[in-house]
Structures are given as C-alpha cells and as structure tokens.
Amino acid sequence: MKLHRLLGKTGYTTFGCMWEKGTVTPMDTYVCKNADGSPVALQSRITAYWPDGSVKWSAHTADAGKLSENIEVLPVKNSCGTGAFEDRDGKTPENESNACHGQACITVNKTDSAYLVNNGEYSITVPFNGNALVSTVCDPGSGRLVAKNFVPHLTLEEPATVDGNPARVDKNYTGRIDRVTLEDEGSLMCSFKFEGTHIDKTGTGRLRFIIRMKVFAGSKELKFTHTFIYDGEPERDFLKGLSVSFEMPAAGEPYNRHIKFLPDHGVFHESVMTLISWRPRVPEGLHAKQMAGELLKPEGEALAALNKIKEDIPFWDTYDLCQDSDSHFAIRKKLYGDHLCYIDSLHGNRAKGAAFAGTECGGALVAIRDFWEKYPSGFNISGLNSDTVKIDIELWSPSARPFDFRHYADRGYNQVCYEGYDYKGADPYGIACTNEFNVMFTDTHCVSDAEITQFASDCNTTTLYVGDPEYYHELRAFGFWSLVKKETDLQKKLETDLDKSFEFYKNEVEQRKWYGMFNYGDFMHTYDEDRHNWRYDVGGYAWDNTELVPTLWLWYYFMRTGRADVFTLAEKLTRHTSEVDVYHIGKYKGMGSRHNVIHWGCPCKEARIAMAGHHRFYYYLTGDRRLEDIFDELKDNEETFLNRDPLGDFYPKEEMVEPSHARSGPDWSSLCSNWMTEWERKNDTRYRDKILVGTKDIENAPLKLISGPDFEFNPKTLHLRYIGERTTGGTHLQICMGAPSIWMEMAELLDDEEWRQMLAEYGRFYFLPDDEKQKESNGLIGKRQFTIPMFATGIGAYGAKKLNDPVLADRVVQCLLGRPYREVDVDDYTPKIVRDAGNCEELKEIPWISTNHVAQYGLNAIMLMEFLDRS
C-alpha cells in the first residue's frame, strides 16, 4: 500500500493500512520502504480481517523522522506458513520486519513485581500494582535516576456546611493501579495499559481510569493517553483537579534552575534565582547569559558576589500555569510554604500547552494535546529549590472553577424544548473523557526556545500517514461513498455544497468557542437566527451528540478528499462523541444520551448514539488502542436493552411477548454496527451469526426491510418479532442514524444478495407515491408515513442503480435538491455577515442552519454521487 504524510513530521507514528481481500495472510510480515527504496524499521499488528480470514486492516509503527513524504508498506509472505488463513481467537500478535535497520531496539523483561523496559535511552520500571504507573526512569548506562513516581491524582470538591454557612471541601485521591497489561511488545515500541481508580485515605474509590503509556526505541519521549470514567455522585462529587505527577532529582545552583512555558507569543522563561540585585550588584552580563540559558560557572569575584546574593534573595519554588478558559491563562509563582501567597507572573489568551523545568542534573519537557481547546488544563511545578522537583500535568487544573455534573433542571421538557420525555433523565455516571500528554527528559538544565516550541507542536499534531482516496474507494473501505466529482452540473452543485458546509462548521468551532474538556469536538444542533446564536439552552436543540450522524458525514468527506483539516475536525468529533456522549459502565453501558443542553442530560439512552460505526474510521486509520476498549464495551451491548427498552414508554409491558424492543433502524442497525466491528476485528464468526439472526427475521417479515420498523426484541436470542406496521417517531428514524451505510457495507461482507435486494427495494418503496405504496403493500402500511425522504436519498440512489430504475433516480435527485427538511431556502451555504452580533464584530452566520440537515444532506449527497451519474 502506498501512503503519504497527512499530518506532522517528527516523532514516532502509528498508521493503518488496508489490504485487498485474500491478498495478505495473518502469518505474513510487512516491510516499509521510502520513496528512494530505502527500508525503514516497522512494527505491525493486525486490526481487522476479511470474512475469509485474510487481513483487512493492519496498524504499523515507525519513526516518522526516518520516513519520506511518500512511503510504501509491502506484505512479505511467511515462507514457513501454510498459506491458510487462521482464526487467532481474537488475538492479534505483532510482527515486524527482520531488523531495526540500524536504530535502537526495545527490550522488555518481566520480574516478580514489575516490567523492566530498556529503549536505549532509559531503563523504565513499570510495577504491577501500587500507586505508580512508572516507579523509576533511569539512565541505562550509569543507572542515574532521571525521574520517579508517575502517580495519578484526583481532587473532588464536595459541598459542606460549617457553622451554618455553606462551604466547599476538597477531597484528595491518589491513583491505585489494579491491573497492568503489556499491550504492545516489539522492537520499536511497547505500550502499557493501566487500569485502576483513585482512592482517598479511607480507601474509597472515585473516577476509575485507563491510562496508556507508549515507549519508543531510542526516544526520550513517553506518550500517555489518559481516560477517566465518572463514577461519582453528581450532587456532591464536583471535579476540582485531575493530574498525573512525577518527580525528578534536582541539583546545582539555584541560578542554574530554569522554568519555561509557552504563552501566546514567544517563551516565558525564568530562573529560581533571578539574577537581579540592588546590593551587591550582579556582575555585568550574567543575567543576560542566564536568560540565554547558559550554564553559569562563575569564578572569583563573580562567584563571591553570587554567593553573597544567595544569602538574601527569594528563591521561587513553585510555578503554576492555568488555562481557565479558551481565551485566558495565568502564570503564577510563589516561594516555598503553604502560608505564602502566589503572585501573578503573566496573563494571556491561549497558552500553547508545554512546560519545562531543569536543573544542573537535567530536566523535563511536558506538553498536553489540545491544551487550551480542552480547558481547564495546566501545569504545576514545585520543589524547584529542593533536591526533588515535582511536575503535575493537570488535565483539570485545580486553580480553575470545579466542574458541576448536576443537571440544569429537575425535569425534562418534551414538547416545548424537544427533549426526550418530561421526566428527568440526566445521569453522568459512566461517561468518560480522554486526554493526551507527552513527557520528554533532557540532559540539559535549560532547553532552547525552539526545542520547547517544537515539542509542543509535535504533541499537538501527531504524525500520520494515509493512503489516497482512490485506493480506499477501490477497496470499498467503510462501504459505499463517492470520490470527488465535478463533471456534471449536479456534481458541481453538490461538491460546492459539501465544501461550503464543511468550511462553515470548521470555522464555527472557533467563532462560537465550542471548547472545554466536556464540549470540545461536538457541534450544536439547531441555530436561532433571531438571537444570532445556537439554541444552546433549548433542550434537544443544544449539543448534537451524534444526532443524524455528523460523524459519518465528516469521515466519508475525509475519505473522499484526503484533507488534513477534515481529518482533524472528524478526529475531535470522534474523541468527544465516543467518550462524553456515551456510557462506559453502569446500567446504560453501551448506550448514549440523545442531544441535550447537557451532554448526558436527555432521558433517551440509545444504542445508536454509541455505535461502533461512528468511530471505525479513526481506529483503522490510526490504530488508536482506546477505541478497542470502546468496541469491547459495545460488542454485546444488546444486553443493555434489558435495562433500557428504547420503546418502553410506548408499549405496555403486559402486552409484550419479548422482553424489549428494537427498531430495525436505528436500534438493530446500531447493534449490527457493533457486531460487524467485532466480527472483523477478531475474526469471530459468532458476531456474524448475531447479525444473521436479525437479517433472517427481517427477511421473513411481510414487507421485509420495509416492515415495522418497530419490532419486539429478545436480547438473549437476538430475534426480532414482527408486531405490525408501527413506527415510533417516524419512519425517517429508521434510516437517518447511519443505517443505510451500515447495511450496505454489511451486505457486501455477508455477500448476501437477498439483503442487497431488500435494500434496493426499500430505497424504491420510500419514493413511491402514497397510492402506489398502499397498492404494493396491500394496504398493510395503513397510515404509516415515510417521512423526510431526503434522508433516504442515499439508499434510494442505491436502489435506482441496482434496479436500473431511471424514474426512481429522478425522484431521488429532485428530492435532494428540493426543500425536504426545513421550509427555508437551503440552496446556498454561503454565510451572511451580521455586524455586532454573537459577540463578533462581523458574525458569519447561515440563518437556517441545522446540523441535522447538513449531516444528512452531506452524507446522502456523498452516497448519491457514487450510484448516480446525472447531469
């Protein structure tokens, strides 16, 4: 497979490769070649299989600094293999090219109590349990201690009453590691997965975590992915602080101890002992050399003067950087002592998310990805005047306002505010959030401004290689979608709309400041043109939470364009919606919350919000291990239907035969997405068989896929029971949550011609006139309406292509180009300029805009152009 660099340029990279069915076996290895033919060391693992057992997707790790702009990954047949495809029981052992091609390799040894890792730069001890992720980092040659005690921390704020007055109490928790897994072990990279929780001094646990650490051959950088799952009580457990700290030895003179941060512009740089003195005077030029980062070695009179000054000068022991919003950060510092105050050092807008602390025995660089975008982030560096410096990497800075997990109301507002029900259904228990940060150790007491700037940039923009759209399209990666086409008037119009709508949403994130740990990545649902703002406070019109699959719109748009900015927007949406909008533990595990003012606020908890189909793109393109956790949570989540019947409020329990319900779409289709993902990831045919139970039941329904779409559902047997032509919420819900894309890809994987025909007939039936619908169904559909046909234009185009039906093709195109969703002119995606509105001097708005419309219009347009070549 030929790939090119999409993002970044330095550091190690992990990227995905897709392979043609039947061409690569699980026993094969891989080699990587630069554009000039030179080999580059590669570490590989299988991430998905075709139904015949051949490799579908693989993930590869390499040193990006050794890769050219364009590379090629080639499978190498294993001469010792039988050539047969093997089921590896869900395990995907790594394989790699035979040599490290001259670069250092990693070794991992296991003792009774810890893993010992040597990557050529460091010897790292990873204990099996305790409080520390890493107990020591040492120089492998001399044994010198570089850092120690990487420990997770949590602070929760609880309401209290003191002498009758309201108060707040901070409760501190320390991480407890319950399980350590060596997920990757190869010559270039090893990765560890730490599972645990934060405990207080009584042993009470709160906010369990999953933290991953990657160690790379010959690299001084450690990469961390930090996930926490909220399992507190929202009425009392407010998030006050969340961090990982480590310690490093400090030595040498205080004037050779340096601190650096990256503010808006330039570099904030100070020393523990600032060389400014009234009496005695600092020898000329020393302060300038200190600020230039030189290691000072004064002699004679200069040394005597500095020693005298040291007796009577403040030593700055602690520095704190807090990004408390997307538009403000503060740097403060203080002397040692809890009884002493901080003083302000600098205020600014958007810090770039990196810090450095160093002494004469070395230092450390730390950086947080999406630092200001996922505020409140920060760094706290203390002990600068001692023999041990402590660095806290703060994913939620305790200097910021605590996060309140409570709901905004005591009830729901179903009719007026478009919420799911009138009863309160907000529940944050089980939601999660994932953040990334990097650590790199240095031998120097002070890094250059260029070094810390580059380090921050590398952390924020991870290097990634991808293939060309044409290659993915030929292999039908993720099913059916079109390449960019601008030949006919229709294609030009649709492509222009796609480009403009994407640009609008990309810019809207910044214009509307959709930032913060629990918000960044998501979009709002519906616009309020009179307030010149999104309906952020109106129930189901606020945060979108994957409603009508903007995830699929963006990811398919990336697949066809290959644009870096599209990938980035889709990546942020995936990271948010796969974590915050869904439940990872508890009674709703495997489900998500419908759109709401608060991400977890709506009482509707449904499988379609959490389905694997939203996020397969990101996983296969990047090999991101966190998505494996999420897919594991989803693979059997039909069991959650026993706890939460998606139609339980509409059907009397006493009249039901089966224990729950599932609409063929979006409920069962979402389960199919989960099962299909597990089937291909693990080559586990049990999950294929789960799909087949439902497809047979639907084939046996009176109108096949057209039937229902409400069915009774048995989560134990997976059977769907036909209960008549009933559609809770409208027939459009059967198809607007990604079902057509899922079903089309599923039909190809199953190689099921009956299912393909059913899809085509469904697309045809949706666009029949009402009298013809009644005639063909012998009146069975009754008063059931096939609502919002624009949502069906993709599957309608599929039907027109398969059935060779030009009448249907015309109907589909006219529907997509009409006004099928909102009674407004949606023909132009060009923003209008409104002065002094929306807190902008010049607000760029599209007054009629709705994420529902844009996502479905975009997704269906992308599908339609694949099936219909119209003028």
Side-chain angles (χ1 to χ4, degrees), residues 32 42 330 395:
C32 180
L42 198 66
L395 306 175

Side-chain angles (χ1 to χ4, degrees), residues 41 68 152-153 291 324 434 536 574 583 594 695 717 779 801 845:
S68 57
H153 299 278
M291 289 298 95
D324 55 23
T434 290
Y536 72 95
T574 277
Y583 293 98
R594 180 179 170 271
T695 59
T717 66
K801 172 79 170 181
E845 73 170 12

Side-chain angles (χ1 to χ4, degrees), residues 601-758:
C602 187
C604 291
K605 313 298 182 184
E606 299 186 30
R608 49 100 175 171
I609 300 149
M611 69 173 181
H614 295 297
H615 316 304
R616 294 165 66 238
F617 305 81
Y618 185 64
Y619 174 66
Y620 291 129
L621 292 171
T622 68
D624 186 283
R625 288 277 194 184
R626 171 58 187 156
L627 270 299
E628 294 179 359
D629 300 338
I630 292 169
F631 295 153
D632 285 341
E633 295 164 3
L634 295 172
K635 60 186 174 65
D636 299 309
N637 84 313
E638 64 271 11
E639 298 171 5
T640 309
F641 281 57
L642 294 171
N643 300 328
R644 183 67 178 179
D645 182 345
L647 303 182
D649 290 280
F650 300 95
Y651 290 92
K653 192 74 175 177
E654 61 274 11
E655 298 178 9
M656 292 167 54
V657 175
E658 301 293 354
S660 190
H661 290 87
R663 293 160 289 186
S664 54
D667 306 312
W668 181 76
S669 60
S670 298
L671 294 178
C672 289
S673 171
N674 301 337
W675 297 330
M676 183 171 67
T677 303
E678 189 66 11
W679 172 27
E680 67 181 0
R681 279 205 313 128
K682 303 289 182 63
N683 196 22
D684 189 339
T685 55
R686 292 176 298 173
Y687 290 87
R688 175 204 61 195
D689 295 343
K690 286 188 176 188
I691 296 172
L692 293 175
V693 172
T695 59
K696 294 301 180 185
D697 288 339
I698 292 173
E699 287 173 13
N700 292 329
L703 301 177
K704 299 186 183 294
L705 188 58
I706 299 164
S707 288
D710 293 5
F711 288 82
E712 285 187 1
F713 177 57
N714 189 323
K716 296 296 184 183
T717 66
L718 306 180
H719 278 293
L720 296 166
R721 178 177 176 268
Y722 178 69
I723 55 174
E725 297 303 306
R726 300 189 60 176
T727 172
T728 303
T731 302
H732 64 279
L733 289 178
Q734 186 181 15
I735 52 171
C736 68
M737 307 296 180
S741 298
I742 296 164
W743 289 336
M744 290 177 198
E745 184 179 5
M746 191 174 81
E748 300 308 305
L749 292 175
L750 293 171
D751 194 17
D752 188 335
E753 185 57 33
E754 173 69 12
W755 191 252
R756 294 187 187 103
Q757 190 67 26
M758 286 165 57

Side-chain angles (χ1 to χ4, degrees), residues 478-493:
F478 311 112
F480 291 90
W481 46 274
S482 58
L483 293 170
V484 174
K485 299 179 180 180
K486 297 184 179 181
E487 298 172 0
T488 69
D489 289 342
L490 173 63
Q491 291 167 354
K492 291 175 183 177
K493 185 255 187 305

Side-chain angles (χ1 to χ4, degrees), residues 398-634:
S399 299
R401 184 176 63 181
F403 188 84
D404 186 344
F405 289 91
R406 295 174 297 178
H407 199 43
Y408 79 97
D410 290 324
R411 51 160 291 186
Y413 301 93
N414 174 243
Q415 292 300 308
V416 172
C417 294
Y418 188 40
E419 293 194 323
Y421 301 101
D422 283 330
Y423 58 81
K424 180 180 176 182
D427 189 355
Y429 186 94
I431 66 103
C433 191
T434 290
N435 298 277
E436 299 168 68
F437 62 89
N438 295 353
V439 178
M440 186 169 74
F441 302 105
T442 71
D443 297 327
T444 181
H445 71 293
C446 185
V447 296
S448 69
D449 291 356
E451 286 175 299
I452 187 173
T453 301
Q454 186 64 53
F455 183 72
S457 177
D458 291 346
C459 179
N460 222 38
T461 306
T462 302
T463 303
L464 181 66
Y465 282 76
V466 297
D468 294 329
E470 292 78 8
Y471 178 83
Y472 294 126
H473 182 265
E474 183 180 359
L475 297 186
R476 285 191 177 158
F478 311 112
F480 291 90
W481 46 274
S482 58
L483 293 170
V484 174
K485 299 179 180 180
K486 297 184 179 181
E487 298 172 0
T488 69
D489 289 342
L490 173 63
Q491 291 167 354
K492 291 175 183 177
K493 185 255 187 305
L494 295 180
E495 295 291 357
T496 298
D497 288 348
L498 287 168
D499 292 345
K500 284 185 175 181
S501 60
F502 170 77
E503 288 298 322
F504 177 78
Y505 273 81
K506 181 181 74 171
N507 296 330
E508 195 72 346
V509 173
E510 168 61 15
Q511 180 169 255
R512 302 297 176 172
K513 305 297 187 289
W514 289 336
Y515 300 119
M517 177 183 280
F518 296 102
N519 295 333
Y520 183 51
D522 206 356
F523 306 136
M524 285 278 176
H525 187 286
T526 301
Y527 195 65
D528 180 351
E529 60 184 291
D530 296 315
R531 286 193 290 177
H532 303 290
N533 200 356
W534 292 79
R535 300 180 189 178
Y536 72 95
D537 57 349
V538 186
Y541 292 116
W543 290 113
D544 192 68
N545 285 26
T546 76
E547 181 75 355
L548 272 61
V549 290
T551 46
L552 299 191
W553 159 50
L554 285 181
W555 279 120
Y556 283 123
Y557 187 60
F558 168 73
M559 296 303 296
R560 67 200 304 270
T561 63
R563 287 169 46 180
D565 58 345
V566 180
F567 178 90
T568 298
L569 195 66
E571 176 191 21
K572 305 312 178 186
L573 181 59
T574 277
R575 189 62 91 188
H576 168 87
T577 56
S578 65
E579 301 285 6
V580 179
D581 296 343
V582 303
Y583 293 98
H584 305 268
I585 58 172
K587 62 183 179 179
Y588 299 135
K589 178 182 175 181
M591 293 192 172
S593 294
R594 180 179 170 271
H595 40 106
N596 196 259
V597 171
I598 305 295
H599 289 286
W600 47 86
C602 187
C604 291
K605 313 298 182 184
E606 299 186 30
R608 49 100 175 171
I609 300 149
M611 69 173 181
H614 295 297
H615 316 304
R616 294 165 66 238
F617 305 81
Y618 185 64
Y619 174 66
Y620 291 129
L621 292 171
T622 68
D624 186 283
R625 288 277 194 184
R626 171 58 187 156
L627 270 299
E628 294 179 359
D629 300 338
I630 292 169
F631 295 153
D632 285 341
E633 295 164 3
L634 295 172

Side-chain angles (χ1 to χ4, degrees), residues 322-325 371-372 374-378 394-398 400-401 516-517:
C322 172
Q323 180 82 45
D324 55 23
S325 75
F371 183 78
W372 59 264
K374 298 188 75 171
Y375 72 86
S377 307
E394 296 171 338
L395 306 175
W396 189 281
S397 170
R401 184 176 63 181
M517 177 183 280

